[in-house]
Amino acid sequence: DAKTTQPNSMESNEEEPVHLPCNHSTISGTDYIHWYRQLPSQGPEYVIHGLTSNVNNRMASLAIAEDRKSSTLILHRATLRDAAVYYCILRDVRGAQKLVFGQGTRLTINP
Amino acid sequence: DSGVTQTPKHLITATGQRVTLRCSPRSGDLSVYWYQQSLDQGLQFLIQYYNGEERAKGNILERFSAQQFPDLHSELNLSSLELGDSALYFCASSVAVGATNEKLFFGSGTQLSVL
């Protein structure tokens, strides 16, 4: 599985936008970019995914670089409930369908 | 609520013992995945089943085994337990297998403590 690189931790303030970066320089053309997050004492939950185009949903936006070697998860207005570990994962259509989690980014939201 | 049910929520046992963790996937989901989360290893993929058949294997120890039953629930069996097996064990489910854009839904986990 192709690897991703994320900062270990980030901090932001409540009601401000948060940009969580992810580098995936070895991404292949068939890899989807998935983001999951894990709130304290809970299982991971799906946030968003994309292939080439930017994506928006009710939780977040995903901005994908033109060369696909990096992406950014955007939380438009962070709340305290968004404090979690965020995982950027590549999923290959040719391989098994498991998700391979890295260390993720621990996001702290200050009130 | 993800719709994935894991039981028990907590399990305390001794070294050398055997335990069974149970997972009921979301209604309609055919794929079940097991993950182990420990402080030093993060989330590690163990094994995946699809409609009763094993589909992928990760870093699962030989002392561990799993199966998926005809009603699609799954059990993870851990035997000859060691202190290092203490971890959170998550089950996840998805509708099918083969679509890289499909989402996984995770349960709230079983916290295993081996004393």
Side-chain angles (χ1 to χ4, degrees), chain A:
Chain A
D1 299 293
K3 296 281 189 251
T4 63
T5 305
Q6 300 177 251
N8 287 335
S9 63
M10 289 185 64
E11 203 169 322
S12 185
N13 298 318
E14 204 175 4
E15 299 188 3
E16 289 183 359
V18 180
H19 291 235
L20 296 162
C22 180
N23 286 320
H24 27 80
S25 58
T26 59
I27 192 170
S28 74
T30 53
D31 284 337
Y32 274 78
I33 302 160
H34 289 251
W35 284 82
Y36 281 72
R37 72 179 185 180
Q38 187 173 17
L39 302 171
S41 303
Q42 295 188 26
E45 66 173 345
Y46 168 83
V47 177
I48 201 166
H49 76 276
L51 183 61
T52 56
S53 306
N54 294 344
V55 185
N56 300 295
N57 66 20
R58 65 173 181 79
M59 288 180 72
S61 295
L62 177 60
I64 301 172
E66 201 168 327
D67 63 5
R68 301 211 323 127
K69 293 185 186 300
S70 66
S71 60
T72 302
L73 179 71
I74 303 165
L75 307 179
H76 295 284
R77 224 165 145 256
T79 69
L80 296 178
R81 283 202 71 251
D82 291 320
V85 179
Y86 286 78
Y87 298 97
C88 170
I89 302 162
L90 300 183
R91 206 172 186 197
D92 185 356
V93 67
R94 299 163 301 173
Q97 298 310 298
K98 62 183 187 292
L99 291 175
V100 178
F101 288 82
Q103 293 305 307
T105 296
R106 181 172 298 279
L107 177 64
T108 301
I109 304 295
N110 300 313

Side-chain angles (χ1 to χ4, degrees), chain B residues 93-113:
Chain B
S93 73
S94 65
V95 172
V97 66
T100 52
N101 59 351
E102 69 174 358
K103 308 170 190 177
L104 266 62
F105 295 86
F106 284 79
S108 54
T110 293
Q111 178 68 61
L112 174 66
S113 298

